[in-house]
Amino acid sequence: MGRGREPIETAVALIEGAAAAGWRGADPYDGLWVRWPRIMTGGALRRMVILQLHARSPVDIRRIYRRRHPLLAKGAALFALAGLRVHRHTGRPRPLELALDALQTLAADTSAGPAAWGYPFETQLRWGRYPAFEPSIVPTAFAIEALLEGERVAGRADLGERARAAARRLVGEHWTGDGHFAYHGRSRANIHNASLLGARAVWHALGEEAAAEVRAAVRRALGAQREDGSWPYGEGASLGWSDSFHTGYVLLCLDALRGLDPEVDEAVVRGAVFYRRFFGQRGESRLWADRAHPEDGHSAGTGLSALAALHRRGLVEREFLDLVCGRVLTHGIRGGHAVHRRYRGGVRSSVRYLRWCDGHVALGLADAAIALERRTEPVAETNPA
């Protein structure tokens, strides 16, 4: 890799920045973290307007009214994973120190209960609404993965016990009995990436104890794959769209669960072919497969992790992973943080998002650096039909 240690150094710098902020930061969807007058939040449409104004503004409108930010459990988990992997790869003690601080913060966070994590702000989605600190499968799944990795790398059994308790709660509270893990306890909508994130975390934490549920979730997701290799975001009339980072989640999870179903390998091959449509000729990580803009930071970070996994399976060329990694390093970092979005005409967001962008980019750069220094099998033949 021509850039040497630059991906690792950039990942460490992002982790250092998050640690200095106490693992707290702005989030694209934190618009309802503050108490707005009821007239502004009465109804789903009004709540969505507030959320989207915060999420889509290229400048940080939070500075008008806010002086502090919430603790983001999923962000702490992402930075912990990045630090642990950098430490294992380089032997450097500082990334491990930072990772353990993030894990301690994560383990001490019981705001969503003693065996779960959530978001510290109310959320209004297209398919539902849930309050602040509602136990949610996505932050819980990432927290479980980080705590388990902390147990393995640092020998901290207490971290693993916290993770396994959370995994058992996922099975008890989020398993629907209908082939998928629910996003949160107030909904039974099948959101494919969320169900698989839960399945992966449960499998890593509990293994055969939860094999039946995990296998069923994998089968449900395999059945949802389209002929072109893509997955819809979820099941339902308004959930048929596909974007980059959710597709990356699906591929990462299926790759980790590939031994549980003989059809996973073929599904990942087909999915990998479709997934490449999200990346431009210069390595741009695009949110949508059929649009050149926006170039998206979350998609870039998750993309590096997913492409690294696909590269190890021989499904993505080293040169392609290197191209995307290089684009992140040259265009995806500004002012010490990951760029959230680049729009048509060179306009870019200047907002720093710890969970949404910095955490995923730090982890993605670590995963890419490690994968690019390993040997892999030749790229497999694929049929893009």
Side-chain angles (χ1 to χ4, degrees), residues 24 43-44 54 57 63 99 111 115 141 143 148 157-158 180 188 214 217 225 239 250 263 289 301 333 349 367 370 383:
R24 294 175 175 270
H54 283 74
S57 175
R63 294 184 179 182
S111 57
L148 290 174
D158 59 315
H180 71 279
R188 287 297 180 262
V214 173
Q225 189 177 26
L239 303 177
V250 169
E263 294 184 18
I333 307 291
S349 170
D367 287 339
I370 294 167
N383 180 3

Side-chain angles (χ1 to χ4, degrees), residues 8-283:
I8 292 292
E9 298 304 329
T10 304
V12 171
L14 290 171
I15 303 169
E16 290 277 10
W23 316 110
R24 294 175 175 270
D27 191 88
Y29 299 99
D30 68 0
L32 297 175
W33 186 53
V34 301
R35 290 178 178 267
W36 298 104
R38 181 175 292 274
I39 193 172
M40 296 176 65
T41 59
L45 179 59
R46 296 180 192 180
R47 291 189 293 272
M48 285 290 288
V49 168
I50 292 175
L51 284 176
Q52 291 302 319
L53 281 174
H54 283 74
R56 298 191 181 199
S57 175
V59 297
D60 194 356
I61 61 176
R62 298 162 190 81
R63 294 184 179 182
I64 300 172
Y65 66 88
R66 187 189 300 181
R67 294 295 177 267
R68 60 188 296 268
H69 297 296
L71 174 68
L72 301 168
K74 182 191 165 189
L78 291 168
F79 289 113
L81 286 167
L84 291 168
R85 291 177 191 179
V86 170
H87 168 72
R88 290 182 64 187
H89 185 60
T90 66
R92 291 163 55 176
R94 179 59 177 168
L96 177 60
E97 178 184 342
L98 294 168
L100 289 175
D101 183 73
L103 290 173
Q104 285 293 119
T105 300
L106 194 61
D109 179 13
T110 58
S111 57
W117 290 267
Y119 297 113
F121 37 79
E122 181 183 359
T123 304
Q124 177 71 59
L125 302 170
R126 301 184 191 190
W127 48 270
R129 172 192 182 191
Y130 56 96
F133 304 115
E134 176 82 3
S136 181
I137 198 167
V138 175
T140 298
F142 277 99
I144 290 170
E145 298 286 357
L147 291 166
L148 290 174
E149 198 152 328
E151 179 183 46
R152 291 192 297 271
V153 175
R156 290 278 302 276
D158 59 315
L159 300 178
E161 287 306 311
R162 181 87 156 89
R164 284 182 282 276
R168 291 188 177 98
R169 187 195 174 282
L170 280 184
V171 176
E173 300 295 330
H174 290 256
W175 179 246
T176 64
D178 191 29
H180 71 279
F181 289 90
Y183 200 100
H184 58 82
R186 297 170 183 262
S187 172
R188 287 297 180 262
N190 185 8
I191 309 302
H192 296 302
N193 75 90
S195 179
L196 285 176
L197 285 168
R200 181 181 67 172
V202 165
W203 177 250
H204 286 164
L206 305 179
E208 289 297 329
E209 180 181 329
E213 292 86 351
V214 173
R215 285 193 173 93
V218 169
R219 289 299 307 166
R220 184 72 175 265
L222 292 176
Q225 189 177 26
R226 293 165 170 156
E227 289 188 8
D228 64 1
S230 68
W231 279 270
Y233 174 72
E235 294 181 2
S238 64
L239 303 177
W241 45 275
S242 300
D243 66 19
S244 179
F245 60 87
H246 288 118
T247 303
Y249 285 171
V250 169
L251 288 170
L252 279 165
C253 291
L254 287 177
D255 177 68
L257 300 170
R258 63 202 299 259
L260 295 178
D261 192 294
E263 294 184 18
V264 168
D265 281 341
E266 180 184 351
V268 171
V269 170
R270 292 172 54 220
V273 173
F274 181 84
Y275 191 50
R276 292 181 73 129
R277 301 183 194 179
F278 289 107
F279 301 92
Q281 293 183 350
R282 296 171 296 177

Side-chain angles (χ1 to χ4, degrees), residues 10 13-14 16-18 63 328-340 342 348-354 358:
T10 304
L14 290 171
E16 290 277 10
R63 294 184 179 182
V328 172
L329 291 171
T330 57
H331 290 74
I333 307 291
R334 289 292 184 274
H337 65 84
V339 176
H340 175 217
R342 283 184 178 275
R348 64 177 172 84
S349 170
S350 62
V351 188
R352 180 188 185 191
Y353 289 128
L354 254 69
D358 286 17

